[in-house]
């Protein structure tokens, strides 16, 4: 049986980090491809990429993949499937792909794992009030009655609110099971029974914000979720509540959040913001009650090889004529990031 031809298409430098030498060996054993040939652009490509695209049955994509426009698809008449070794496919899978009947799979599930792990760490640290305590300790540099100051904090029967039963949200709830925490869930697509089976109590968004001492956002970025956490939800939060966002910056009304953080009434762990990089003068960089990280909750370092393993498994299924384990359909995009 002749191996299908495949082409890698992603941003510069990504392919070198995605696959280890061993993974590259498996890739070339599965499909007819040159791992050193990576298409950074598909519209008006060079002759080598154009020839590979014309014969490709399978496209292996990752971050920075260019969009598969009608013109690109016309130049790829044999293309039947796209294996995306990352999360969202909204940046490069176009309506023309669905019209062509191209099969699509995404490593969103694999990429959810490190985000959930980051969130778990943030939740447990927030429960202990670690960030403000560490900043205060740095200022005091002297003995202090920390037990008295941190009275009321801790991770026993603390209420944690999860906004969105996405892949990441569900994984976070799963990771929280060993701990003595009360978990609330807001998701309009999940009923009370399904929430209970996940390990959470279903509730409305405003009630979740009012009852939870830690609120973690895991909803997809959609027009309906823009500023899902707005002034009313922030005002409902109890003093000292920690807001965690590893989803997208647009889900929180930043203009409403900033005064709450500057006043010290609320705390935040923000891996994403709107804009993605706050301006140099933003108070977010210096506030002692804010942990600001540069969108690193998702796969990085050796975690990227998990995405490579996922891609290889899906490629193997395609070669064997078996359905993808984690397919993406047009209907999924209305509820997924």
């Amino acid at each position: 049986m002749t191996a299908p031809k495949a082409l890698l298409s992603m941003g510069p430098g990504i392919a070198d980090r995605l696959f280890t030498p061993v993974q590259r060996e498996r890739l070339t054993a599965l499909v007819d491809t040159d791992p050193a040939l990576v298409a950074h652009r598909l519209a008006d490509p060079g002759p080598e990429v154009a020839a590979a695209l014309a014969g490709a049955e399978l496209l292996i994509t990752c971050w920075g993949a260019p969009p598969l426009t009608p013109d690109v698809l016309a130049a790829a008449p044999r293309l039947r499937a796209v294996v995306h070794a990352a999360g969202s496919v909204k940046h490069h899978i176009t309506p023309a792909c669905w019209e062509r009947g191209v099969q699509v799979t995404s490593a969103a599930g694999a990429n959810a794992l490190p985000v959930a792990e980051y969130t778990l760490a943030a939740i447990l640290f927030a429960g202990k009030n670690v960030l403000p305590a560490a900043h205060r300790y740095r200022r005091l540099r002297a003995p202090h009655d920390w037990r008295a100051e941190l009275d009321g904090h801790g991770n026993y029967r603390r209420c944690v609110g999860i906004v969105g039963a996405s892949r990441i949200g569900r994984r976070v709830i799963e990771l929280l099971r060993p701990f003595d925490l009360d978990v609330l869930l807001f998701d309009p697509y999940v009923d009370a029974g399904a929430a209970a089976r996940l390990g959470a109590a279903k509730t409305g968004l405003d009630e979740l914000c009012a009852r939870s001492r830690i609120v973690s956002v895991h909803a997809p970025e959609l027009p309906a979720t823009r500023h899902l956490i707005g002034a009313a939800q922030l005002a409902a939060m109890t003093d000292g509540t920690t807001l965690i966002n590893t989803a997208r910056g647009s889900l929180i009304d930043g203009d409403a959040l900033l005064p709450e953080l500057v006043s010290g009434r609320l705390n935040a762990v923000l891996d994403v913001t709107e804009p993605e990089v706050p301006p140099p003068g933003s108070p977010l960089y210096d506030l002692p009650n804010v942990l600001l990280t540069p969108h690193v909750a998702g796969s990085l370092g050796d975690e990227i090889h998990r995405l490579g393993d996922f891609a290889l498994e899906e490629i193997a299924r395609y070669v064997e004529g078996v359905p993808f384990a984690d397919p993406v359909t047009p209907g999924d995009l209305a509820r997924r990031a």
Side-chain angles (χ1 to χ4, degrees):
M1 179 178 174
T2 303
K5 293 183 179 297
L7 174 65
L8 277 67
S9 178
M10 54 198 70
I14 301 297
D16 293 335
R17 305 204 305 271
L18 179 63
F19 294 119
T20 66
V22 171
Q23 288 174 319
R24 287 192 192 93
E25 288 181 9
R26 187 181 180 202
L27 175 65
T28 54
L30 286 168
V31 292
D32 180 3
T33 190
D34 177 3
L37 179 63
V38 182
H40 306 314
R41 68 178 192 274
L42 293 174
D44 189 27
E48 193 174 10
V49 169
L53 181 63
E57 185 177 336
L58 186 68
L59 202 62
I60 304 162
T61 62
C62 193
W63 298 302
L68 299 177
T69 63
D71 288 344
V72 169
L73 291 177
R78 298 188 60 199
L79 185 66
R80 296 293 177 267
V82 176
V83 173
H84 188 52
S88 176
V89 301
K90 290 183 177 180
H91 304 292
H92 67 300
I93 299 298
T94 65
C97 295
W98 307 121
E99 293 168 7
R100 163 81 75 87
V102 174
Q103 299 177 60
V104 179
T105 179
S106 161
N111 193 49
L113 301 181
V115 182
E117 292 165 357
Y118 174 109
T119 304
L120 172 64
I123 288 171
L124 295 178
F125 262 36
K128 301 279 283 189
N129 204 39
V130 166
L131 181 61
H135 279 278
R136 184 153 162 73
Y137 193 23
R138 185 178 300 121
R139 292 197 310 271
L140 288 175
R141 305 186 184 213
H144 184 69
D145 188 353
W146 293 106
R147 292 185 183 278
E149 179 159 321
L150 297 174
D151 187 40
H153 295 282
N155 287 312
Y156 182 69
R157 298 271 72 97
R158 184 162 295 269
C159 189
V160 177
I162 304 298
V163 179
S166 60
R167 293 172 185 266
I168 298 169
R170 290 168 185 256
R171 179 62 173 164
V172 170
I173 294 172
E174 181 182 349
L175 291 176
L176 290 174
R177 284 177 186 165
F179 303 97
D180 294 316
L181 297 167
D182 297 326
V183 181
L184 302 180
L185 172 66
F186 166 74
D187 190 305
Y189 298 101
V190 176
D191 62 28
R197 288 190 291 274
L198 289 172
K202 178 180 173 64
T203 186
L205 180 59
D206 290 350
E207 181 182 354
L208 180 147
C209 291
R211 291 175 55 189
S212 303
R213 293 303 304 274
I214 301 166
V215 176
S216 191
V217 180
H218 303 288
E221 184 178 44
L222 304 169
T225 61
R226 178 169 179 78
H227 293 179
L228 182 65
I229 305 294
Q233 289 72 38
L234 295 168
M237 295 179 188
T238 305
D239 291 3
T241 295
T242 297
L243 178 62
I244 301 169
N245 190 9
T246 57
R248 290 292 185 268
S250 67
L251 271 66
I252 296 176
D253 183 345
D255 290 338
L257 176 62
L258 189 58
E260 299 278 19
L261 298 176
V262 171
S263 72
R265 197 182 76 80
L266 300 179
N267 305 315
V269 177
L270 303 174
D271 189 51
V272 289
T273 55
E274 188 182 45
E276 178 71 10
V277 179
S282 172
L284 295 176
Y285 291 109
D286 299 311
L287 288 171
N289 54 327
V290 175
L291 175 61
L292 181 67
T293 56
H295 204 159
V296 296
S299 299
L300 54 75
D302 55 20
E303 294 166 341
I304 296 175
H305 302 320
R306 180 190 284 123
L307 306 182
D309 278 336
F310 169 88
L312 291 170
E313 290 300 320
E314 292 290 64
I315 291 168
R317 288 185 177 89
Y318 179 82
V319 170
E320 294 166 6
V322 177
F324 286 136
D326 207 346
V328 180
T329 67
D332 293 332
L333 300 185
R335 293 172 52 182
R336 288 172 59 168

